Amino acid sequence: MRILRFLAAGALALCTAAPTLAAPATLTWYQADSLAWTTPLNPAAEGPSRPVDADPWLPRLPEARISLLEGGEFDTAAELPPALILDFWATWCAPCVKELPLLHEVERLYRDRGVRLIAVNAQEDDETIRVFLERVGLSLEIGRYSKELDRVLQVRNLPTLMLIDSEGQIRRRWNGYREGLEVELGQAIGNVLADKDPDVRPVRVADVRRGRVEAHWTRTGRLPVQDLGPADGQAGAPPFTVLRGSSMAMVEGDGVVRGRFRAPSGMSGLRALDLDGDGTRELIGHRPGSDRVTVFSPSRGAFSEWQAPRSAFDIASLHPSGGQPGELLLATSAGLMASDMAGNRLRALVEGSGFRSLLVTGPADDPTIWTLSLDGALQAFDRVGKARREPLAGDRSGWLVQHPGLSGFGVASAGIRSVAGLRVEGRDLLLVLLEQGTVLGLNPETGSEELRIDWPGAKAVVAADFDGDGSDELVVADGSRITLVSATPAASAEGREATASAATSAPSTGGQ
């Protein structure tokens, strides 16, 4: 997971006076302790743009086997009909009894087009079901609800009605019965069969000005997204985390939520750190300027919190080495502090100078702790807090960033919301999100711009190889929506187009 920082630059500016005029955002990069380049980052750009349209995310019918009353079973992982209706009901449920004849009539109207209805009964005995069907004069395909179905579908209301297409996507779901539902169902079936459902029309999420972008899906929740972060615990853990209100969701790259947890109030700034060296990275949450540190263990599904003696503007970690345990580093107004993951062994590492940002470079057995002081000095220390070089001039309103796939580090100014790493087709880029919602991909050698996406309202971005093809995809959060896209920088996109053009125009070598 190439996620570096998700720190609001505005929150880090608590100790500086607000400028009367906003200066342009800049990213400065250092290689081997020397300045490599400085790039101004303009949120606005001239020239043509292309819309980025994303299909709304739809939940999928989980793999399960439904036992049928008259023998056999229905396997949801097998080939599905053009439209499948699953109705969850019981004989004692009055709305269910009212709904069943209407569903039977809808199925009869569409039966010659391959529509199939399975009425899944809520664990009543077979004799009760047969007596009921004979009494009401219905001939239906009946399924049995089971522990397996409950585990994957978690139906909590009766009746519950689902319409599934041939790809296994749940196109509509109705929890409970209401008058006219059969009309809605008929219209929804018609849309599914015609493949023109208005509920799944593409949504314009952004505009790309440099490079190429392909959207895979977009998903909207009930609450605004507060933050995105890694979800990196044991092997097989979901690749990213979404924070909304007091809820933290662990989400796969296909948009499926694999776990939800109640998060402590104010949790943000997530990063994955292995402080105890057991190979499992915990999620550390910290809001810049707060004295609260939150630790989430993915393996236990549990949160813990502790309070630092001073407010911290930034955190980083020292990895275990040579028998020394890993430590959490805190940049505070009184100096640099170190602690274990539980906050039990707090100690002062560097005293007498306030720091606003920090990061760690180099090997675990000989790390360098880079800090940015409140007065803008860029300083380097060893593991025990001893200065490694003379301070460099930095940025009083900036914060430090790094890319795990590259040497060096950067100083991001105010106006930059986050910096992350992006690996595409074997190349590493710096992925920058500006406060105004512009997403940029920069060449790490020169700072030149190779990707530009205008993304209104973008608040957070994470990058990872979600599909295993060797290139990262991006998840971008704006408002209450998250969107997964693939991005190709300009140089790669132009080279691909040139190759395709040459192949198309090449003369044929075949004989007559």
Side-chain angles (χ1 to χ4, degrees):
M1 177 71 66
R2 297 172 179 86
I3 303 169
L4 310 178
R5 304 284 193 197
F6 292 93
L7 305 177
L12 291 176
L14 298 175
C15 299
T16 60
T20 55
L21 293 175
T26 59
L27 181 61
T28 301
W29 199 257
Y30 292 85
Q31 292 278 11
D33 303 350
S34 300
L35 176 65
W37 49 262
T38 297
T39 297
L41 305 175
N42 185 3
E46 301 293 333
S49 65
R50 298 180 300 280
V52 179
D53 296 328
D55 290 330
W57 180 87
L58 293 172
R60 298 190 66 83
L61 183 64
E63 293 185 9
R65 296 177 184 273
I66 302 174
S67 172
L68 301 177
L69 181 66
E70 300 304 328
E73 61 183 14
F74 178 79
D75 185 356
T76 64
E79 184 175 353
L80 296 173
L84 171 67
I85 306 167
L86 292 181
D87 179 50
F88 298 85
W89 69 287
T91 62
W92 47 260
C93 165
C96 300
V97 173
K98 185 175 183 178
E99 180 188 64
L100 275 175
L102 302 175
L103 299 182
H104 183 257
E105 179 62 19
V106 172
E107 182 207 22
R108 187 188 65 79
L109 292 173
Y110 287 97
R111 189 176 299 158
D112 61 346
R113 299 179 66 182
V115 175
R116 183 174 180 180
L117 167 65
I118 301 178
V120 183
N121 180 264
Q123 297 179 308
E124 296 179 282
D125 64 79
D126 293 356
E127 182 63 21
T128 298
I129 299 171
R130 288 193 172 97
V131 169
F132 168 81
L133 293 176
E134 183 177 355
R135 178 169 59 82
V136 298
L138 289 177
S139 177
L140 295 170
E141 187 173 18
I142 302 296
R144 299 183 180 94
Y145 200 64
S146 62
K147 290 183 178 180
E148 179 190 7
L149 278 181
D150 187 66
R151 179 179 56 82
V152 297
L153 291 178
Q154 298 182 352
V155 173
R156 296 294 177 262
N157 300 297
L158 292 180
T160 288
L161 185 65
M162 298 180 188
L163 176 63
I164 299 103
D165 65 19
S166 60
E167 300 298 320
Q169 295 176 317
I170 302 175
R171 301 288 281 265
R172 293 290 299 274
R173 176 170 176 155
W174 293 267
N175 295 319
Y177 173 75
R178 61 175 179 268
E179 294 291 337
L181 185 145
E182 70 278 7
V183 177
E184 295 180 35
L185 175 61
Q187 292 173 342
I189 292 173
N191 288 330
V192 168
L193 296 177
D195 197 24
K196 58 178 184 181
D197 192 337
D199 292 330
V200 294
R201 285 180 297 190
V203 177
R204 185 169 182 173
V205 294
D207 293 275
V208 59
R209 293 187 179 274
R210 185 181 298 274
R212 305 187 76 170
V213 174
E214 177 188 359
H216 299 286
W217 52 260
T218 187
R219 181 173 184 178
T220 302
R222 291 190 299 271
L223 297 174
V225 176
Q226 294 172 222
D227 201 1
L228 295 177
D232 203 350
Q234 296 175 327
F240 69 97
T241 302
V242 183
L243 281 172
R244 302 179 190 265
S246 61
S247 173
M248 186 175 79
M250 317 291 272
V251 186
E252 296 279 7
D254 58 6
V256 175
V257 175
R258 297 303 185 193
R260 293 186 188 275
F261 304 90
R262 185 171 181 82
S265 176
M267 186 176 182
S268 63
L270 290 175
R271 61 201 74 185
L273 306 173
D274 179 12
L275 298 181
D276 53 14
D278 66 352
T280 299
R281 300 201 295 174
E282 287 73 30
L283 299 183
I284 312 297
H286 173 260
R287 185 175 66 251
S290 170
D291 61 356
R292 306 294 300 180
V293 177
T294 305
V295 180
F296 175 73
S297 170
S299 60
R300 295 186 294 111
F303 290 90
S304 61
E305 276 193 302
W306 53 272
Q307 186 172 7
R310 289 183 177 273
S311 298
F313 299 112
D314 199 1
I315 63 174
S317 67
L318 282 173
H319 295 298
S321 176
Q324 299 183 70
E327 291 186 294
L328 191 68
L329 302 177
L330 298 90
T332 76
S333 59
L336 188 61
M337 303 185 69
S339 168
D340 67 354
M341 188 172 62
N344 294 325
R345 297 195 307 268
L346 280 166
R347 64 186 179 92
L349 194 63
V350 179
E351 296 182 281
S353 178
F355 300 105
R356 64 182 297 104
S357 188
L358 78 160
L359 56 78
V360 179
T361 63
D365 59 352
D366 187 26
T368 297
I369 305 169
W370 287 94
T371 62
L372 193 61
S373 67
L374 296 177
D375 60 8
L378 189 59
Q379 298 171 269
F381 301 95
D382 63 14
R383 192 180 190 110
V384 297
K386 181 179 178 181
R388 287 202 146 170
R389 58 164 301 147
E390 292 296 318
L392 302 173
D395 184 343
R396 293 186 59 179
S397 65
W399 46 287
L400 299 176
V401 297
Q402 63 186 150
H403 186 317
L406 300 170
S407 60
F409 62 93
V411 179
S413 75
I416 296 176
R417 186 179 288 274
S418 68
V419 178
L422 174 67
R423 187 169 183 80
V424 180
E425 298 179 352
R427 297 184 58 218
D428 288 303
L429 296 179
L430 293 170
L431 185 68
V432 181
L433 174 60
L434 302 183
E435 290 284 353
Q436 295 87 345
T438 303
V439 179
L440 303 174
L442 305 182
N443 184 316
E445 301 298 326
T446 63
S448 59
E449 181 183 304
E450 296 193 17
L451 179 70
R452 173 178 285 266
I453 312 170
D454 295 337
W455 205 301
K459 184 175 183 178
V461 58
V462 296
D465 182 7
F466 296 126
D467 56 11
D469 66 351
S471 291
D472 288 346
E473 290 76 40
L474 312 179
V475 177
V476 182
D478 64 282
S480 59
R481 181 172 62 192
I482 57 175
T483 305
L484 179 76
V485 302
S486 297
T488 305
S492 298
E494 292 165 2
R496 198 181 285 171
E497 290 173 355
T499 300
S501 176
T504 302
S505 60
S508 173
T509 58
Q512 295 293 324

